[in-house]
Amino acid sequence: MDRAEARERALDAAEELFYGRGVQSVGMDDVRGTSGVSLKRLYQLFPAKEQLVEAYLVRRDTRWRGELAAYVERRPEPDERILAVFDWLAKWFREPGFRGCAWLNAYGELGATSERVAAQVRAHKRGFRQYLEDLVAAAGRPDALAGQLFLLAEGAMVTAGVTRSAEPAAEAREAARRLLGAG
Amino acid sequence: MDRAEARERALDAAEELFYGRGVQSVGMDDVRGTSGVSLKRLYQLFPAKEQLVEAYLVRRDTRWRGELAAYVERRPEPDERILAVFDWLAKWFREPGFRGCAWLNAYGELGATSERVAAQVRAHKRGFRQYLEDLVAAAGRPDALAGQLFLLAEGAMVTAGVTRSAEPAAEAREAARRLLGAG
DNA sequence: ACCGTAGGAGAACGCTCGTTCTCGCGTCAA
DNA sequence: TTGACGCGAGAACGAGCGTTCTCCTACGGT
């Protein structure tokens, strides 16, 4: 197992464990057990747990936004693309093991104590919001709409996480549809 | 200092510390130091830290929803009342020391490990949502609107917490106004 | 064959923190 | 006055865990 593969395995384990059980209730020893990467190697790759958390959030951010964009861009119409964001959320919420937004969970746990984690969360949310702004601009809609869609999406993620239901995605989609209709 | 006063002081300290720094980074010894209530007394009043957290969330829920209702009910018009919810959020977001929604923060920190805390969070959100449903019904608006307003409010709280800005309240208010206008 | 090095397993260390215990003082009933 | 009790201060205990260290094995180059 070379360095790159060890890194991937460590991040796979970190993602599964941190997202599923929360960061603080997972020890480095759990990451070792799940990944098969020894503690020594883990600390060579990530000098401290905080940096493993950061790397987990970075990698997940890339994949999350990539999958969203891939899904959305299958729709040809600009207005359809905007609504597709909420369809994708619904699909995500229904995945087994869904436990809310990884970044908001991490922020609740570590935002007050880790500046690196807080910065990652802000970067992810900024990226998502920027993506919505791009979709809104491409549809020739007013800028202000993007912020409103963003709030609907955030509310849906948080509510789906707490209530363990996919329903908020449909509610948010309907609200978005009405905002589009009225705009 | 009798039992009731000790309880209030303990909860005052718990609220200040848990909300300001997160639950996990505050020790029972910090609560003792801030409240002036001895550890022995604290453990008489709350047999475990988890129950102090629970009591903190319960008491804050009562006050939070009470203050919201008091603010909203100063407006006579039903539609105005709905929008007043977002004005109140804006006021809350601007308070010094605002650090996001206490319940969502607690959920991110403890939702995965404490069923009691998770239940309190769900109860609080259910109560808030029910309040919106009442306002919507009183305005003669369709039920579905309440869920949409709820998502806007949740999105605004979460975004205001992460970005340390009151702006999301105004964005959510504008979206709500448009949903009302279109409904 | 031999040495140097990398890496794995897991013990060890040090700190934090939830919870309990000890001790000593003040109070109040009889 | 005395003795039982409640309580505060803070030490003590024990578990969890991030991080480092020790020891041993395996292997690659000469």
Side-chain angles (χ1 to χ4, degrees):
Chain A
M1 181 164 38
D2 66 6
R3 188 181 172 90
E5 185 185 345
R7 192 184 150 89
E8 284 309 294
R9 287 201 197 179
L11 286 172
D12 288 345
E15 181 156 5
E16 172 187 337
L17 295 171
F18 289 160
Y19 181 69
R21 308 191 342 225
V23 172
Q24 314 230 47
S25 72
V26 169
M28 292 299 276
D29 212 61
D30 297 320
V31 176
R32 166 175 74 165
T34 300
S35 67
V37 176
S38 72
L39 276 183
K40 192 181 247 178
R41 210 92 187 276
L42 279 179
Y43 277 92
Q44 280 171 4
L45 294 161
F46 308 99
K49 187 185 185 185
E50 186 183 27
Q51 291 170 55
L52 176 59
V53 176
E54 194 185 358
Y56 140 63
L57 292 175
V58 167
R59 196 185 69 159
R60 190 176 170 107
D61 172 60
T62 305
R63 203 178 49 238
W64 190 91
R65 290 198 284 134
E67 288 177 8
L68 169 61
Y71 182 92
V72 165
E73 278 145 34
R74 260 180 247 137
R75 317 267 176 122
E77 289 298 320
D79 280 10
E80 276 300 312
R81 286 189 174 182
I82 289 174
L83 293 176
V85 169
F86 298 94
D87 296 333
W88 185 78
L89 288 180
K91 201 162 68 78
W92 178 35
F93 295 170
R94 278 192 294 264
E95 281 174 15
F98 172 77
R99 293 198 358 90
C101 171
W103 295 270
L104 295 179
N105 290 346
Y107 192 84
E109 239 180 311
L110 303 169
T113 51
S114 165
E115 200 38 60
R116 301 177 80 123
V117 168
Q120 272 314 311
V121 175
R122 292 196 195 97
H124 166 75
K125 292 304 181 191
R126 208 180 314 120
F128 176 48
R129 188 182 176 120
Q130 181 64 56
Y131 182 64
L132 291 179
E133 286 172 10
D134 294 347
L135 290 179
V136 163
R141 301 286 183 162
D143 283 358
L145 179 61
Q148 301 171 7
L149 297 173
F150 178 74
L151 296 183
L152 285 170
E154 292 297 311
M157 288 182 225
V158 129
T159 304
V162 170
T163 65
R164 298 290 164 78
S165 152
E167 176 62 16
E171 290 181 320
R173 185 190 204 277
E174 175 60 14
R177 208 185 53 72
R178 290 180 58 200
L179 291 175
L180 282 170
Chain B
M1 180 163 39
D2 65 6
R3 188 182 172 87
E5 185 185 347
R7 191 185 151 87
E8 284 308 295
R9 287 200 196 182
L11 286 172
D12 288 344
E15 181 156 6
E16 173 187 337
L17 295 171
F18 289 161
Y19 181 68
R21 308 192 341 226
V23 173
Q24 314 231 47
S25 71
V26 170
M28 292 299 276
D29 213 60
D30 297 319
V31 176
R32 166 175 74 167
T34 300
S35 67
V37 176
S38 72
L39 276 183
K40 191 181 245 177
R41 210 100 188 269
L42 279 178
Y43 277 92
Q44 282 171 4
L45 293 161
F46 308 98
K49 187 186 185 185
E50 185 182 28
Q51 290 170 57
L52 176 58
V53 176
E54 193 184 359
Y56 141 63
L57 293 175
V58 167
R59 196 185 68 158
R60 190 176 169 106
D61 173 61
T62 306
R63 203 179 50 238
W64 190 91
R65 290 198 285 134
E67 287 177 8
L68 169 62
Y71 182 92
V72 164
E73 277 146 33
R74 261 180 248 137
R75 318 267 176 120
E77 289 298 320
D79 279 10
E80 277 300 311
R81 286 189 173 182
I82 289 174
L83 293 177
V85 169
F86 298 93
D87 296 333
W88 185 79
L89 288 180
K91 199 161 69 77
W92 178 35
F93 296 170
R94 278 192 294 265
E95 281 174 14
F98 172 76
R99 293 199 357 89
C101 171
W103 295 270
L104 295 180
N105 290 346
Y107 192 83
E109 241 180 309
L110 303 170
T113 51
S114 164
E115 200 39 60
R116 300 177 82 124
V117 168
Q120 272 313 310
V121 175
R122 292 197 193 96
H124 167 75
K125 292 304 180 191
R126 208 181 314 120
F128 175 48
R129 187 182 176 120
Q130 180 63 56
Y131 182 63
L132 291 179
E133 285 173 10
D134 294 347
L135 290 180
V136 164
R141 300 284 183 165
D143 283 358
L145 180 61
Q148 301 172 7
L149 297 173
F150 178 75
L151 296 183
L152 284 170
E154 292 296 311
M157 288 182 224
V158 129
T159 304
V162 169
T163 65
R164 297 290 163 77
S165 152
E167 175 63 15
E171 290 181 321
R173 186 191 203 277
E174 174 60 14
R177 207 184 52 73
R178 291 181 56 200
L179 290 174
L180 282 170

